[in-house]
Amino acid sequence: MFHAVSSPSSAVPSPRSPQNARPAAGDKPAPTGDKPGKQRDAFFDNAKYLAIVLVAIGHSWEPLKGDSRILEGLYTAVYAFHMPAFIVISGFFSRSFDMRADRLQRLITGVVVPYVLFETAYSLFNRYVGDTPDQDISLLDPWYLTWFLIALFIWRLTTPIWKLVRWPLPLALAIAMLASVTPEIGDDLDLQRVLQFLPFFVLGLMMKPEHFRLVRRRSVRILAVPVFACAVVVGWWSVPRMNTGWFYHRDSAQELGAPWWTGPVMVLALFGCSLLLTACFFSWVPGRKMWFTSLGAGTLFGYLLHGFLVKAGDYAGWFDHPWLHRPLGEIFVSVCAGVAVTVLCTAPVRRVFRFAMEPKMEWAFKPDATEAARGREQREKTPVREREKVTAAS
């Protein structure tokens, strides 16, 4: 929700492992056929895949949760950490982002172009399939899932600033707190979400490989069990007492019908809770190569495409069958959502939709003058080096 330059296939940079991070205790090294220093880090691929499965399952619960307090409690617990986890990883692998031409080009082709295409596609889908003729096509008002792409674009562009300031995380939290009491921000570019989720991205920018190793210790994995159990119980308890809208981070306190001062309080409280549950989630993510590890490279495909299935089911009334609102039906829906998003992350699906999510678009960009100059310099030095080798040999 990944390294220094962006990878369109994942909405976040590719999870390669130049840090040569040691595996956590109990984790086996991931087998790989790649060259040393260029192998994908199985832990981050696994984390991305598991997070996107939780996203899809959470969306499939939305039409059902109103009839089950237990399901709504689970929904609340999952929503407290699944996007924060993805955003933390996005920030972690944005640490080396700068305004270099090739990285800006990848940001445009891997984030901006998919945003434009899918924002348009979802708007048309809602208009004609969802029978909403007044649905506008507006690139300024992200609809449904597409907010994450515009948020990632803005966060990534601000990365050099966060690396420059002395106290980035306190500053990001202060911005999120101010956003939570500013309803005038409106819906343009979903800036409430951009600003209220910002601390998780900045936290990822500040993290180092050893921080992930810390939470993957056996002791943390054991402690994560009662922590998650408590989170589910608290989620169940909060159902009639708390507005679920707080977990979406898309509205100010005033828009949620709460006193203005609750906005900053909830930002800090939810940041702490989300951080704790995210750490527990990471502790359970396997560090070795699993059957689903390769699917971590296709999480953007699963993220953007599964929304069409969920919305189509909602529009067609698939979720209206009474048996789906019983425990076995809810489990069935969860399994279907997990299977569907898994299929959407596979290589065949990625090949079909690569034109929209990984466009090359060399025709749209000028040649990089810096790279061209570096290439010329390399070519000029080659004959000199060859002469030096001949002289040394003789």
Side-chain angles (χ1 to χ4, degrees):
M1 209 55 272
F2 329 127
H3 70 70
V5 294
S6 61
S7 169
S9 64
S10 59
V12 288
S14 172
R16 301 192 183 275
S17 180
Q19 300 95 341
N20 296 323
R22 298 189 303 274
D27 287 338
K28 297 179 181 178
T32 174
D34 294 336
K35 296 179 181 179
K38 292 186 177 180
Q39 69 272 20
R40 296 184 70 91
D41 190 320
F43 167 75
F44 291 107
D45 272 331
N46 293 338
K48 287 169 52 187
Y49 166 77
L50 294 173
I52 211 64
V53 168
L54 289 175
V55 169
I57 291 175
H59 286 149
S60 73
W61 285 348
E62 288 179 358
L64 306 175
K65 64 184 179 68
D67 296 326
S68 170
R69 184 171 174 178
I70 294 177
L71 185 63
E72 190 155 1
L74 285 169
Y75 176 88
T76 299
V78 168
Y79 262 72
F81 74 90
H82 71 346
M83 284 309 297
F86 209 85
I87 294 168
V88 166
I89 298 177
S90 300
F92 178 71
F93 285 100
S94 296
R95 293 172 302 159
S96 298
F97 180 83
D98 53 27
M99 295 299 178
R100 209 172 72 184
D102 60 332
R103 290 173 178 166
L104 286 173
Q105 180 175 331
R106 290 188 185 119
L107 183 61
I108 293 171
T109 58
V111 177
V112 177
V113 171
Y115 170 71
V116 172
L117 293 177
F118 278 87
E119 174 63 22
T120 303
Y122 268 111
S123 298
L124 293 174
F125 184 80
N126 189 43
R127 178 186 294 180
Y128 296 109
V129 180
D131 194 22
T132 311
D134 59 343
Q135 173 70 48
D136 294 326
I137 300 176
S138 173
L139 299 182
L140 296 179
D141 187 11
W143 190 76
Y144 198 32
L145 302 173
T146 56
W147 71 268
F148 179 71
L149 292 178
I150 198 64
L152 183 61
F153 176 70
I154 295 172
W155 294 332
R156 188 76 56 75
L157 283 181
T158 62
T159 295
I161 298 175
W162 300 113
K163 293 192 294 183
L164 178 65
V165 299
R166 190 181 297 273
W167 300 290
L169 186 57
L171 178 58
L173 282 169
I175 291 173
M177 292 164 67
L178 287 172
S180 71
V181 296
T182 313
E184 293 80 7
I185 289 177
D187 296 327
D188 289 349
L189 300 181
D190 226 342
L191 282 179
Q192 279 289 356
R193 271 178 168 162
V194 173
L195 298 178
Q196 291 193 38
F197 275 117
L198 174 63
F200 297 103
F201 182 81
V202 174
L203 176 65
L205 289 175
M206 298 171 59
M207 292 185 71
K208 298 178 181 179
E210 52 264 33
H211 296 141
F212 289 97
R213 291 197 294 269
L214 282 174
V215 300
R216 292 163 61 198
R217 293 176 298 174
R218 181 179 178 82
S219 59
V220 180
R221 292 173 181 171
I222 294 173
L223 288 172
V225 177
V227 170
F228 269 122
C230 289
V232 173
V233 171
V234 171
W236 177 88
W237 173 85
S238 69
V239 169
R241 298 174 175 86
M242 183 178 175
N243 190 335
T244 310
W246 287 109
F247 294 93
Y248 303 145
H249 296 282
R250 66 186 179 198
D251 296 301
S252 65
Q254 296 92 322
E255 291 171 307
L256 292 173
W260 70 268
W261 56 267
T262 59
V265 172
M266 289 300 293
V267 165
L268 292 176
L270 289 177
F271 180 77
C273 292
S274 297
L275 192 57
L276 176 62
L277 293 177
T278 296
C280 292
F281 169 72
F282 285 147
S283 74
W284 285 358
V285 173
R288 62 187 182 278
K289 190 171 183 180
M290 308 290 288
W291 65 266
F292 53 79
T293 300
S294 62
L295 301 177
T299 49
L300 177 60
F301 294 80
Y303 177 78
L304 290 175
L305 294 173
H306 86 274
F308 290 108
L309 298 180
V310 173
K311 286 296 182 183
D314 196 15
Y315 296 152
W318 298 347
F319 297 100
D320 295 337
H321 296 286
W323 72 276
L324 291 180
H325 294 256
R326 302 189 185 103
L328 287 178
E330 293 162 357
I331 294 173
F332 174 76
V333 169
S334 303
V335 171
C336 287
V339 170
V341 77
T342 298
V343 171
L344 294 175
C345 292
T346 58
V349 175
R350 285 152 55 187
R351 282 195 293 270
V352 171
F353 290 96
R354 185 161 286 134
F355 75 95
M357 302 186 203
E358 296 180 350
K360 298 298 182 183
M361 295 182 63
E362 290 92 347
W363 54 268
F365 301 98
K366 296 179 181 179
D368 187 349
T370 303
E371 289 297 322
R374 188 178 295 118
R376 287 195 302 270
E377 182 180 354
Q378 188 69 23
R379 288 192 296 272
E380 291 171 359
K381 287 181 178 179
T382 299
V384 176
R385 291 173 179 170
E386 292 299 328
R387 288 196 299 272
E388 289 175 350
K389 289 180 182 178
V390 171
T391 303
S394 61

